[in-house]
Amino acid sequence: MKKLLIFIWLIQLSSVTLTAQQSQADRDRLAWWHEAKFGMFVHWGVYSLYGGVYNGHRQARGDAAWILNRCKIPVAEYREKGKEFNPGNYDPDKWVRMAKDAGMKYLIIGAKHHDGFALFDTEASDWDVVDATPYGKDLLKPLADACHKQGIKLGFYYSQAVDWTNPGGSAARRLMKEGWPNPDSTQIDQYTLEHDGHWDPVQMTSTFDEYIDRVAVPQVRELLTNYGKVSVLWWDYDAQMKSAKGAAKLQELLKLQPGIVSNNRLHADFPGDTKTPEQSIPERDAVKGQNWETCMTMNGSWGYKEFDKNWKSSESLIRNLVKIAARGGNYLLNIGPKPDGTFPVESIERLQEIGKWMKVNGEAIYGTEGSPLSTFPWGECTQKVIKNKTILYLSVFDWPKNGELDVPGLKGQVISAKILGSSSRLKTRHTEGGIVIGLPAMAPDTVASVIKLKISGRIK
Ligand code: JFZ
């Protein structure tokens, strides 16, 4: 009996040790990702040619990358559209340069989105940029080279479950009214209801498992083999991943890139490393201690949508980045390039504005942890713990009119206080409930001025 108890104790000990080692290995593997905090997402492909317009009709709802599904375009017609895809102004070095100058540390491009079009040379399908377009060249190769050359981590988004052109892929049913006022809407909606969301018989000439084995698995193998170091695999639409076996085959392929970081959108059985809130910033307590990354559009669409002028201000994008860092997350900000390969001017302007702010205040973002203190009426806080000191970065959105910044709840001895981008030291004093920092009358940066506050010890 005693031997059995010792044996059980040893088993438990080894599993605890194993978990500790595993979690340390995971922490080491994600270290760069936590340091990086800020990345570029790119949604580009044949859908960009439509720009959200089909037969003169503006897509009634949603992301322009969904035009094939929402407008129920016959697959053969959409494939035909591929013959117009010829991005003569595609300049991957410039793309990566713009990401880098904006302060982004990684770039994740949609290698294959739901429309099934591969932006790379693939043996597994003839619906790719090499076989189906006049451009005829792999788009990801030069982009991978540019990322590696400029020290930007490369990632691939891959729609493993939803595929509207390679037979057998999932559809994700949407109603005709979300596309355009098609006179046959009723029949079409009835058809999609009876065919698991599909609207074209050619989509159902293979099973889902055949699609996984013939297209998804070989393509993910190509992406993780032919483009050098790949640092992120961004799966999508786990809700449509109908086969756990298929998911296991895809998960297995990640071993081709040992250090790779993957997200939580492969399949319920495979949680991956990172959570992926979309178009929203979660509350602090909802994501405490988790690896998470908010992905967000600059306007209302992932894919290029010519008439969507609902652009977020660079101020709100910068403040989003700060809010996300203050909650311990990453920010994946999207670009929907135009069909010729250039970025919309509104996106370029915002990248430049963010870059200006990051040049002065980047240390308040990179490698920081979420705030150890509660929220503040005037802005957000990030921290860096270095040996027995804590650096707090107080990002002030609303500059106090009385020239005094109140930091309730903060104890500990202040070592120094200054505004990033200026050398002058700030005066501080302790109060009953915390610390007050004396500030100049005018905010150096009305978007967010950052005070670097060095405190001895840890902030509980
Ligand atoms: C997906 C894509 O559909 C979209 O085009 C874009 O690529 C975005 C980043 O990700 O959006 C989703 C995916 C899944 C759900 C909702 C939106 N879902 O499961 O509800």
Side-chain angles (χ1 to χ4, degrees):
M1 180 59 179
K2 195 154 176 288
K3 281 204 179 69
L4 178 60
L5 286 174
I6 291 167
F7 178 67
I8 291 167
W9 182 70
L10 283 172
I11 295 290
Q12 285 168 340
L13 180 65
S14 59
S15 64
V16 170
T17 320
L18 197 60
T19 321
Q21 281 160 353
Q22 184 48 42
S23 52
Q24 185 52 49
D26 287 348
R27 272 199 295 279
D28 297 348
R29 187 167 49 81
L30 271 86
W32 77 264
W33 190 83
H34 283 299
E35 171 67 28
K37 309 295 285 180
F38 189 31
M40 178 182 279
F41 212 179
V42 178
H43 282 73
W44 189 42
V46 168
Y47 51 77
S48 310
L49 287 163
Y50 291 90
V53 179
Y54 178 60
N55 281 359
H57 296 281
R58 288 182 170 185
Q59 181 182 321
R61 189 156 175 264
D63 173 17
W66 277 65
I67 195 157
L68 172 53
N69 178 324
R70 285 213 158 88
C71 294
K72 306 291 181 276
I73 303 173
V75 172
E77 178 185 330
Y78 192 83
R79 282 175 172 265
E80 200 55 30
K81 189 75 170 179
K83 296 188 175 128
E84 296 171 30
F85 189 75
N86 197 1
N89 299 324
Y90 173 52
D91 180 348
D93 289 305
K94 188 172 175 200
W95 283 21
V96 176
R97 172 58 52 199
M98 285 192 279
K100 197 169 182 176
D101 291 351
M104 295 161 158
K105 299 295 186 184
Y106 57 106
L107 185 154
I108 299 176
I109 184 164
K112 191 204 71 160
H113 201 263
H114 306 332
D115 69 347
F117 178 69
L119 276 68
F120 58 104
D121 184 12
T122 175
E123 301 306 313
S125 170
D126 60 5
W127 178 227
D128 69 2
V129 66
V130 173
D131 301 314
T133 79
Y135 187 80
K137 292 171 289 183
D138 190 313
L139 291 161
L140 299 186
K141 196 92 192 85
L143 184 65
D145 297 345
C147 284
H148 297 143
K149 202 168 46 199
Q150 296 188 48
I152 294 290
K153 300 279 190 190
L154 171 69
F156 291 136
Y157 162 110
Y158 187 82
S159 175
Q160 79 280 358
V162 177
D163 190 314
W164 300 318
T165 52
N166 293 295
S170 296
R173 184 171 183 256
R174 295 290 188 275
L175 296 174
M176 187 65 248
K177 67 179 182 198
E178 295 186 16
W180 61 287
N182 185 320
D184 307 330
S185 293
T186 312
Q187 296 93 311
I188 291 173
D189 287 345
Q190 186 55 35
Y191 185 94
T192 58
L193 186 61
E194 292 158 1
H195 296 86
D196 196 19
H198 294 104
W199 59 95
D200 188 325
V202 69
Q203 296 174 314
M204 297 168 274
T205 53
S206 297
T207 66
F208 184 74
D209 287 334
E210 286 167 342
Y211 153 73
I212 292 290
D213 293 342
R214 292 179 192 155
V215 177
V217 167
Q219 286 191 336
V220 171
R221 183 178 289 110
E222 288 167 335
L223 288 170
L224 299 182
T225 307
N226 303 343
Y227 300 90
K229 184 165 179 48
V230 179
S231 300
V232 178
L233 201 296
W234 217 94
W235 305 109
D236 198 14
Y237 231 136
D238 45 307
Q240 291 286 335
M241 188 65 193
K242 300 185 181 131
S243 149
K245 207 157 69 350
K249 292 174 183 172
L250 292 168
Q251 176 75 16
E252 188 62 21
L253 292 169
L254 295 178
K255 292 182 178 151
L256 292 166
Q257 294 273 346
I260 201 164
V261 172
S262 67
N263 70 1
N264 65 342
R265 295 193 184 190
L266 172 58
H267 181 276
D269 295 2
F270 299 95
D273 303 303
T274 62
K275 298 226 171 351
T276 54
E278 186 165 325
Q279 303 284 42
S280 65
I281 300 175
E283 282 314 311
R284 180 192 312 275
D285 301 339
V287 285
K288 212 159 186 52
Q290 297 181 23
N291 305 317
W292 63 277
E293 172 195 68
T294 282
C295 57
M296 191 181 286
T297 54
M298 282 191 180
N299 59 1
S301 180
W302 300 98
Y304 174 65
K305 199 176 195 180
E306 65 187 25
F307 58 91
D308 181 335
K309 300 304 179 191
N310 170 24
W311 297 100
K312 299 174 180 76
S313 65
S314 49
E315 174 180 287
S316 69
L317 295 173
I318 290 166
R319 289 182 174 182
N320 285 348
L321 176 58
V322 174
K323 277 191 197 131
I324 288 167
R327 290 162 179 74
N330 279 31
Y331 195 26
L332 187 63
L333 188 56
N334 185 71
I335 301 287
K338 298 194 283 188
D340 73 338
T342 59
F343 288 1
V345 62
E346 295 91 346
S347 297
I348 295 173
E349 288 163 354
R350 284 156 181 75
L351 290 174
Q352 289 166 342
E353 288 302 308
I354 297 169
K356 273 195 222 127
W357 188 87
M358 287 295 266
K359 272 206 179 30
V360 176
N361 304 292
E363 78 171 86
I365 302 293
Y366 301 127
T368 61
E369 294 169 58
S371 171
L373 301 165
S374 64
T375 53
F376 299 106
W378 41 257
E380 299 282 351
C381 168
T382 53
Q383 71 165 332
K384 242 184 232 153
V385 178
I386 302 169
K387 299 195 186 75
N388 62 351
K389 290 191 190 69
T390 299
I391 300 177
L392 291 181
Y393 295 97
L394 310 176
S395 295
V396 183
F397 300 164
D398 305 318
W399 199 251
K401 295 187 182 34
N402 68 351
E404 291 203 331
L405 191 74
D406 210 1
V407 192
L410 183 54
K411 305 262 181 294
Q413 187 219 344
V414 174
I415 299 167
S416 67
K418 63 177 229 109
I419 296 174
L420 288 184
S422 90
S423 53
S424 59
R425 285 181 167 278
L426 302 173
K427 290 193 177 34
T428 64
R429 62 186 168 80
H430 282 280
T431 62
E432 190 48 39
I435 284 176
V436 169
I437 304 171
L439 298 178
M442 297 299 293
D445 187 315
T446 54
V447 170
S449 299
V450 179
I451 291 139
K452 179 177 182 175
L453 191 62
K454 255 190 208 160
I455 303 278
S456 60
R458 284 291 188 84
I459 311 284
K460 292 211 193 11

